[in-house]
Amino acid sequence: MLTQTRLHPFLSALVIYLSVFMLVSVIQAVTPKPIVFVAPIEGVIDLGLAPFVQRVLDEATAAGAKAVILEINTFGGRVDAAVLIRDALLESKIPTVAFINKRAISAGALISLASGKIVMAEGSTIGAATPVQIGLPGTPAQPVEEKTVSYMRKEFRATAEQRNRPPLIAEAMVDADVEIPDLIEKSKLLTLTTKEALQVNIADFQANSLEAVLQSLNLVDAEIYYASETWAESLVRFLTHPVVSSLLMTVGILGIMLEMRVPGFGVPGALGLMCLALFFWGHGLVQLAGLEEFLLVGLGLILVGLEIFAIPGFGMAGILGILSLMGGLGLSLIGTGASWDSMLSALGQVALSILVAIIAALILVRYFPRLPFGKRLILETNLQAQEGYESSPAENHRWLGKQGVAVSDLRPSGIARFDGERVDVVSDGTFIDAGQQLEVVRIDGNRVVVRLAPLPSEKDHA
């Protein structure tokens, strides 16, 4: 009896322990772990980064994540790209955390301020966000106009106000004229270290690792999803790079012009269309290019092609074509929040691409047939009429060398009269007014080509 009395409490405790263990296991099985998404913000902030951040936020929202942590280490980048990311973060329905691991400079500072919480690793910095104008390769960045600085100053202030952070400190990151006693003097841009950011309530707390960030958020047991760019997003970031986009514009315009000049060859036109398609595809995915820009570029190519290869001289068609090209391609490079300086930079980039394409087209049209590769592609054999080849009406050859008078203006085609007969003619490249004396210089297919008849004094001199 004594043994039975001692075993009874022991068995009861064991049963209770097993019951609690099984209950906890069931609760853990039924209750899933919290989910946290982690996305890197590294390198140059460009327009291709904005769709990536938006996708991560959408996927995290759909998965019911507890937070999205942006691990930031950047010197900045495009203003319009930072504005797009800023808007996405402010509109996010789930908590967002900016983990500044080393630096969040310029556009990176705006992204950090737009996050719900800011966590900084030891030795990190945030600030120095004044906008600058990037010049030509090899030249230093130039300061922008006051209205651009004013716009960015208010963007930073509005972002700080919405996240309950000191707005004046946010302004001081952008405008060197903002002075804060005991923190930043006038004519200096504000950049904060980790300790300084904590003291002025810009940063919420310090953490030196992702695990420490999760511990501060009470999400130590969270399941981590590390987001990375898809191949399509990486390709879009590559295609929207300023150097690559300029190259695509130049090769695209050049290929279309060569195809207009040498119809039927196919390769220049196909290459040009492919480059322009890649340009518009990449910029379309980052919400820059649309149908309007595409139509403007198409109209510009047609007008420039007509001006170069069909209409002698340089007139309204060429001017309108270049303006249409610059408008369509320039608008495809300008995003939300673009300043006047950014617009001028985009137009300059497009103008340079168009100029290079036109010069290259003229050079290739002139010298391509003389190159070894060009000689293999172009038939140089002349089909002479004396050898039995005849492509023009036989009666047109009777006008060769004849002189007559222009009945209508030749712009460059029109009507002329030879030996009392009206004949459809085309000038050799100059505009000829009605009533001027003409001379037939050659028969080109079914065209009678004329020029101004030389004066008697010119004949005698010859």
Side-chain angles (χ1 to χ4, degrees):
M1 292 296 295
L2 181 59
T3 304
Q4 292 179 354
T5 303
R6 292 180 177 178
L7 288 178
H8 186 270
F10 173 77
L11 293 174
S12 300
L14 180 61
V15 170
I16 293 173
Y17 174 78
L18 292 175
S19 299
V20 172
F21 178 78
M22 292 177 63
L23 181 61
V24 171
S25 300
V26 170
I27 293 175
Q28 289 181 344
V30 174
T31 305
K33 289 184 178 181
I35 299 174
V36 173
F37 277 67
V38 178
I41 305 293
E42 299 176 337
V44 177
I45 295 175
D46 52 29
L47 286 167
L49 185 62
F52 166 67
V53 175
Q54 184 63 65
R55 177 177 65 82
V56 172
L57 292 174
D58 293 340
E59 291 181 356
T61 303
K66 294 298 182 180
V68 172
I69 299 176
L70 303 177
E71 192 165 1
I72 299 176
N73 181 20
T74 177
F75 285 104
R78 291 186 57 144
V79 171
D80 46 5
V83 170
L84 288 174
I85 298 173
R86 174 253 189 200
D87 293 343
L89 291 172
L90 292 180
E91 296 171 1
S92 175
K93 297 179 181 178
I94 59 175
T96 54
V97 180
F99 175 34
I100 303 175
N101 192 3
K102 291 186 176 61
R103 60 194 60 85
I105 305 301
S106 191
L110 180 61
I111 295 172
S112 300
L113 290 174
S115 302
K117 291 184 179 296
I118 295 179
V119 184
M120 297 182 66
E122 185 178 4
S124 298
T125 54
I126 179 175
T130 188
V132 294
Q133 178 66 45
I134 302 300
L136 295 174
T139 62
Q142 301 296 323
V144 298
E145 297 180 0
E146 166 58 27
K147 57 184 177 182
T148 303
V149 176
S150 176
Y151 162 74
M152 286 304 299
R153 181 174 63 241
K154 294 306 178 183
E155 280 284 343
F156 269 68
R157 181 181 182 89
T159 305
E161 288 176 348
Q162 187 163 346
R163 292 303 190 186
N164 296 319
R165 296 190 174 100
L168 190 61
I169 292 178
E171 289 188 21
M173 294 181 180
V174 179
D175 192 350
D177 291 333
V178 177
E179 182 179 4
I180 303 176
D182 301 326
L183 184 61
I184 188 69
E185 61 186 46
K186 196 172 182 179
S187 76
K188 301 291 184 180
L189 280 177
L190 179 61
T191 301
L192 299 172
T193 64
T194 300
K195 291 183 179 180
E196 291 171 339
L198 289 169
Q199 292 172 355
V200 298
N201 297 323
I202 286 293
D204 294 282
F205 51 85
Q206 177 180 328
N208 295 329
S209 64
L210 182 60
E211 292 74 15
V213 175
L214 294 172
Q215 185 175 1
S216 301
L217 298 173
N218 295 321
L219 294 171
V220 178
D221 297 330
E223 187 174 353
I224 308 300
Y225 285 89
Y226 291 93
S228 60
E229 292 181 355
T230 63
W231 68 269
E233 289 167 341
S234 299
L235 179 60
V236 168
R237 294 191 69 178
F238 173 76
L239 294 177
T240 54
H241 191 278
V243 175
V244 177
S245 60
S246 297
L247 183 62
L248 289 175
M249 285 189 291
T250 301
V251 177
I253 296 171
L254 174 61
I256 298 297
M257 287 183 176
L258 290 178
E259 188 65 26
M260 291 179 180
R261 184 64 179 86
V262 190
F265 183 42
V267 174
L271 181 61
L273 288 175
M274 183 181 68
C275 289
L276 290 179
L278 288 173
F279 174 86
F280 279 104
W281 178 71
H283 288 77
L285 288 180
V286 295
Q287 302 176 4
L288 288 182
L291 180 61
E292 298 84 358
E293 290 80 7
F294 181 78
L295 292 177
L296 278 174
V297 170
L299 177 62
L301 287 173
I302 293 174
L303 291 175
V304 171
L306 290 175
E307 185 67 41
I308 293 178
F309 304 118
I311 304 175
F314 189 82
M316 188 58 65
I319 295 174
L320 292 177
I322 291 178
L323 291 177
S324 181
L325 275 174
M326 292 183 64
L329 294 173
L331 289 174
S332 300
L333 298 174
I334 299 172
T336 304
S339 63
W340 178 249
D341 300 283
S342 300
M343 296 179 187
L344 291 178
S345 176
L347 291 178
Q349 181 182 347
V350 173
L352 181 61
S353 298
I354 294 175
L355 180 62
V356 171
I358 292 176
I359 294 175
L362 295 175
I363 293 175
L364 286 175
V365 167
R366 182 179 181 86
Y367 295 104
F368 183 73
R370 304 180 186 179
L371 299 176
F373 178 72
K375 290 180 180 180
R376 293 197 297 268
L377 297 175
I378 298 175
L379 179 64
E380 294 184 334
T381 304
N382 294 322
L383 305 180
Q384 302 292 341
Q386 295 83 354
E387 299 175 1
Y389 298 100
E390 189 69 50
S391 62
S392 59
E395 61 270 15
N396 282 349
H397 287 278
R398 61 192 174 99
W399 303 122
L400 190 61
K402 290 281 187 178
Q403 291 193 356
V405 63
V407 177
S408 67
D409 294 338
L410 306 186
R411 297 288 190 270
S413 60
I415 305 297
R417 181 179 288 109
F418 300 100
D419 295 340
E421 294 187 31
R422 293 167 61 90
V423 181
D424 292 327
V425 298
V426 61
S427 75
D428 62 349
T430 59
F431 290 169
I432 301 176
D433 296 328
Q436 290 188 289
Q437 295 294 317
L438 307 175
E439 180 182 21
V440 179
V441 292
R442 69 179 184 273
I443 306 300
D444 186 4
N446 59 356
R447 299 190 308 166
V448 179
V449 183
V450 299
R451 67 179 179 185
L452 284 172
L455 298 175
S457 60
E458 294 177 347
K459 290 183 177 180
D460 296 340
H461 179 72

